[in-house]
Amino acid sequence: MSRQLISSGSAFEKVAGYSRAVVDGDWIFVSGTTGFDYARMSISDDVVEQTHQTFRNIEAALSQAGSSLKDVVRARYIIVNPADWEKVAPVFGQYFGDVRPASTAIICGLVDPKMKIEIEVTAKRQ
């Protein structure tokens, strides 16, 4: 199977020279994804809603790759405010409760101050 590049339609992908996701064989690598709603060109101020939107964005990329959240084996959570952890951890459980991928959480700043969370995943198609 050849390498496949998946785009979310964000103009920033071309500017920064990256893809929303890359499929290489059975592996799918989804770039760090934020809660930006590309259909509305907006981002919520609420970290929980940003987290849900982030998962919707990831699900869309995985779907284009012929995969789903059930195939995720690795997740990295990047959160700006440590106090938000208790708010977003249950959301992770809603999406990954039975999947339980290996994961890492990192607290740090993101490129846009409106962004409160970024999630990166790796999936392997079954």
Side-chain angles (χ1 to χ4, degrees):
M1 178 178 284
S2 63
R3 183 175 153 139
Q4 175 189 359
L5 305 179
I6 295 174
S7 174
S8 66
S10 167
F12 192 66
E13 290 173 22
K14 184 171 180 152
V15 170
Y18 77 99
S19 296
R20 169 61 41 222
V22 175
V23 179
D24 191 347
D26 289 333
W27 290 99
I28 303 151
F29 304 92
V30 181
S31 294
T33 304
T34 65
F36 199 86
D37 182 339
Y38 297 107
R40 296 181 182 172
M41 299 306 287
S42 64
I43 191 166
S44 172
D45 288 333
D46 179 62
V47 69
V48 172
E49 177 50 35
Q50 280 193 30
T51 305
H52 284 292
Q53 184 61 49
T54 299
F55 275 104
R56 288 190 288 269
N57 293 341
I58 290 169
E59 285 176 314
L62 289 171
S63 177
Q64 286 182 323
S67 185
S68 72
L69 289 174
K70 291 180 182 178
D71 297 321
V72 172
V73 296
R74 182 83 168 114
R76 288 181 189 88
Y77 306 112
I78 303 160
I79 302 167
V80 173
N81 183 348
D84 287 339
W85 176 255
E86 289 185 31
K87 298 174 190 174
V88 297
V91 180
F92 304 156
Q94 288 176 29
Y95 291 91
F96 285 144
D98 293 332
V99 178
R100 297 181 59 169
S103 67
T104 301
I106 301 165
I107 305 297
C108 68
L110 295 173
V111 297
D112 183 329
K114 294 180 278 189
M115 298 172 180
K116 298 179 180 187
I117 187 164
E118 184 170 351
I119 302 172
E120 172 188 337
V121 302
T122 302
K124 185 172 186 210
R125 290 190 281 206
Q126 305 302 317

